[in-house]
Amino acid sequence: MLGEAYSLFTENEGFSFVDVGHSYQPKARKNSKTLYCDSLYRFCFWDFWTPLLNQYCVQFKRMKIAVEGCMHGDLDKVYDTIKYIENTRNIKIDLLLCCGDFQAVRNEKDMDSLNVPPKYREMKSFWKYYSGQEVAPVPTIFIGGNHEASNYLWELYYGGWAAPNIYFLGFAGVVKFGNIRIGGLSGIYNARNYCLGHHERPPYNDNTIRSVYHVREYDVHKLMHLEDPIDIFLSHDWPLGITDFGNWQQLVRYKKHFKDEIQQGTLGSKPAAQLLEKLKPSYWFSAHLHCKFTALVEHEEGGRVTKFLALDKCLPGRKFLQIVDIESDPGPYEVQYDEEWLAITRKLNCVFPLTLRRGDFGRTQLDMQDCRQWVKSRMEDRGAKPCEFSQTAPPHKPSDSVSNTTFSGSPRNPQTVSFLELLDLPYVLDNALDSRDTPTSLPQKDDYSEDIPIEDEDDLEDGEPNNENRSS
């Protein structure tokens, strides 16, 4: 059933929700312009509210952003839900943000780089958008999670178009969409791999297929140098301690297995918490734990506030999609490079760690003023738009009974080549030890379970999760 988790809230209010299907009365908070409409299937009340909502949105020039939790390759279902919302509400959604587990699987061979049990390896629907059979009906920006075709995302380490109108933010990245500044960190946190370099290369072995999506200190280090305000930040796992700022007691009523970790202060990602404290974005969106959770983080008394929202995965009856109204300029709305992020990337590329060894970040002095001026000049000459999409692997063909896709190494994606040429940087993504020379067993700091079922943890009979490393 489409649109199971649709609601609206204003940018300057706290998070409040009305669950779809539980009641059929629109609700408005006293002395507030926040509107909630909780049913996609009852329209009698919507006509009453539409004129007020439209007037409010025009007055404040608000961008409508759809936020989605874990995609798990179900692009068709999410886009169908968005189109249904647009048609029934007579609105236009300007952007879709996905918080990981996107599963940009182009063909059968890509599934060899997807860390899921064989019985859950499905082609799903991304290949249709990659091949051009379908085009995303709304601009889409996504980060990586822990269920990804990691070979393809590595081609786009710095970010790029994974398919027409579908932009991967990179292992870490910042872009502008209109005048909205969006940053993100792909992957999940794992303490034993955090300080290692990006040593993994396809074809992955049993160890590197898991470690490749673990967050690295280098990418967090780059993000920690951001000084300009961030409007929206995306991470797959939750920042450590975020439950202290929301109703965690309600959360553990239906996620009982979270209680011990919350009380011990181990639920979430340490690097994400550091970034939250440093960047103080207006919004922070996450996924990973397959549930909805909201929080308000006041960084200092009377200071900036971050509105945190985690969403579920795409399933009927689950809270996987939220529409957010954010103040913005009228447009045009398109993905563009961010000047400050390009300057940081250029300055720190010389210490990009590509082996098991930790990066030597201390020897790099960031003279950001000169570097930003250099980047600004380059962008004026070339333009701020990312390079156009191009295919680097054959897309899936349903008519073929047997896949004829063979492994051809890790190709140099023309978008990445163009990005590095813009910054006058060398291509280094293939300048590392072959993954077959990588130790199959890395130093262990903790005995984490790396078995990741795709079925939802709520469906397990004993109610206990088998979720990849939620804690720090």
Side-chain angles (χ1 to χ4, degrees):
M1 188 175 292
L2 299 179
E4 292 283 1
Y6 176 71
S7 63
L8 293 171
F9 57 90
T10 65
E11 186 271 342
N12 61 347
E13 293 284 341
F15 288 118
S16 295
F17 300 88
V18 178
D19 293 337
V20 174
H22 287 199
S23 67
Y24 297 102
Q25 299 290 331
K27 297 184 180 180
R29 192 181 303 166
K30 280 189 176 182
N31 302 318
S32 168
K33 293 181 180 178
T34 305
L35 305 181
Y36 308 91
C37 194
D38 62 341
S39 174
L40 289 178
Y41 317 107
R42 302 293 180 95
F43 306 103
C44 55
F45 296 103
W46 180 253
D47 291 339
F48 175 80
W49 292 107
T50 298
L52 176 59
L53 180 61
N54 288 343
Q55 179 184 4
Y56 185 66
C57 290
V58 170
Q59 178 183 355
F60 289 94
K61 298 177 182 177
R62 306 184 77 81
M63 183 189 297
K64 290 191 178 297
I65 299 178
V67 184
E68 197 270 337
C70 296
M71 181 75 78
H72 288 300
D74 287 324
L75 280 73
D76 281 350
K77 295 177 183 178
V78 172
Y79 288 136
D80 285 346
T81 302
I82 287 175
K83 285 187 281 188
Y84 186 83
I85 292 169
E86 290 182 324
N87 291 336
T88 56
R89 299 302 189 201
N90 192 28
I91 62 173
K92 179 68 176 73
I93 292 173
D94 301 299
L95 175 67
L96 169 65
L97 299 176
C98 178
C99 302
D101 283 358
F102 192 81
Q103 292 183 209
V105 177
R106 303 166 293 181
N107 52 44
E108 291 83 353
K109 196 62 183 176
D110 279 353
M111 284 193 280
D112 292 341
S113 300
L114 184 70
N115 184 30
V116 299
K119 68 178 180 178
Y120 295 115
R121 291 182 179 178
E122 300 179 60
M123 190 57 58
K124 295 296 182 76
S125 56
F126 173 79
W127 67 270
K128 292 188 279 187
Y129 299 85
Y130 179 80
S131 68
Q133 178 178 323
E134 301 283 350
V135 177
V138 58
T140 301
I141 297 175
F142 75 97
I143 57 168
N146 56 304
H147 296 296
E148 304 293 355
S150 298
N151 60 326
Y152 185 31
L153 297 192
W154 179 248
E155 290 181 28
L156 298 170
Y157 168 82
Y158 299 96
W161 299 108
N165 218 27
I166 300 176
Y167 192 85
F168 173 50
L169 204 51
F171 278 51
V174 180
V175 296
K176 288 183 177 177
F177 187 76
N179 69 321
I180 301 297
R181 198 163 183 241
I182 303 170
L185 178 67
S186 291
I188 63 170
Y189 175 59
N190 182 300
R192 69 171 178 267
N193 290 322
Y194 179 62
C195 293
L196 302 181
H198 286 286
H199 61 90
E200 302 88 352
R201 297 292 179 277
Y204 303 114
N205 59 39
D206 288 344
N207 183 77
T208 57
I209 197 174
R210 295 173 171 86
S211 65
V212 64
Y213 54 73
H214 289 155
V215 168
R216 300 301 156 89
E217 181 184 26
Y218 171 72
D219 300 309
V220 175
H221 182 71
K222 289 171 64 179
L223 290 164
M224 290 290 285
H225 280 88
L226 291 167
E227 297 295 339
D228 295 347
I230 294 287
D231 298 297
I232 296 172
F233 197 87
L234 309 176
S235 67
H236 188 57
D237 44 4
W238 302 9
L240 180 67
I242 193 66
T243 50
D244 294 342
F245 299 92
N247 191 345
W248 68 266
Q249 294 90 346
Q250 182 184 50
L251 174 65
V252 299
R253 279 200 286 271
Y254 61 93
K255 292 284 185 178
K256 296 181 175 60
H257 42 273
F258 289 178
K259 185 174 183 179
D260 289 345
E261 291 174 85
I262 290 173
Q263 292 182 335
Q264 294 165 12
T266 59
L267 181 70
S269 162
K270 283 183 180 178
Q274 293 167 355
L275 288 168
L276 175 61
E277 182 180 2
K278 168 65 166 63
L279 302 180
K280 302 176 176 61
S282 299
Y283 293 88
W284 188 296
F285 302 127
S286 298
H288 190 43
L289 298 186
H290 294 173
C291 62
K292 188 192 78 179
F293 181 76
T294 64
L296 287 173
V297 182
E298 187 176 5
H299 295 284
E300 56 272 330
E301 187 174 352
R304 297 184 65 178
V305 174
T306 296
K307 303 176 182 68
F308 174 83
L309 170 66
L311 290 168
D312 208 331
K313 65 178 180 178
C314 179
L315 282 176
R318 306 293 283 271
K319 297 162 187 174
F320 68 91
L321 189 68
Q322 183 73 31
I323 310 301
V324 183
D325 286 347
I326 295 182
E327 281 192 42
S328 72
D329 290 343
Y333 295 150
E334 56 186 3
V335 175
Q336 294 193 345
Y337 287 135
D338 180 83
E339 179 185 304
E340 183 185 27
W341 179 249
L342 293 190
I344 292 170
T345 299
R346 173 175 163 79
K347 202 70 175 178
L348 289 176
N349 205 64
C350 63
V351 292
F352 188 178
L354 291 162
T355 67
L356 288 167
R357 299 175 63 181
R358 185 176 191 173
D360 183 9
F361 311 135
R363 62 185 177 89
T364 303
Q365 298 295 320
L366 291 190
D367 186 355
M368 291 305 300
Q369 185 173 358
D370 288 350
C371 194
R372 286 190 68 163
Q373 186 59 44
W374 185 93
V375 167
K376 182 178 181 179
S377 177
R378 295 283 282 195
M379 291 175 68
E380 288 174 350
D381 293 339
R382 180 195 177 280
K385 291 184 181 181
C387 178
E388 293 183 358
F389 165 76
S390 59
Q391 291 185 6
T392 55
H396 168 66
K397 293 183 178 180
S399 58
D400 293 347
S401 57
V402 179
S403 170
N404 57 6
T405 305
T406 57
F407 176 75
S408 58
S410 182
R412 291 191 171 189
N413 194 298
Q415 297 182 75
T416 300
V417 173
S418 175
F419 177 86
L420 293 171
E421 288 176 350
L422 168 65
L423 297 183
D424 195 20
L425 293 174
Y427 190 102
V428 296
L429 297 181
D430 49 13
N431 295 350
L433 293 174
D434 191 289
S435 63
R436 287 165 291 189
D437 297 327
T438 302
T440 57
S441 180
L442 295 172
Q444 301 287 308
K445 289 184 68 176
D446 297 283
D447 184 20
Y448 293 118
S449 171
E450 297 279 349
D451 297 326
I452 313 167
I454 292 298
E455 76 270 21
D456 191 80
E457 59 206 31
D458 291 341
D459 298 331
L460 299 178
E461 290 183 359
D462 60 3
E464 291 297 320
N466 193 8
N467 201 6
E468 159 120 13
N469 182 30
R470 295 193 310 270
S471 64
S472 56

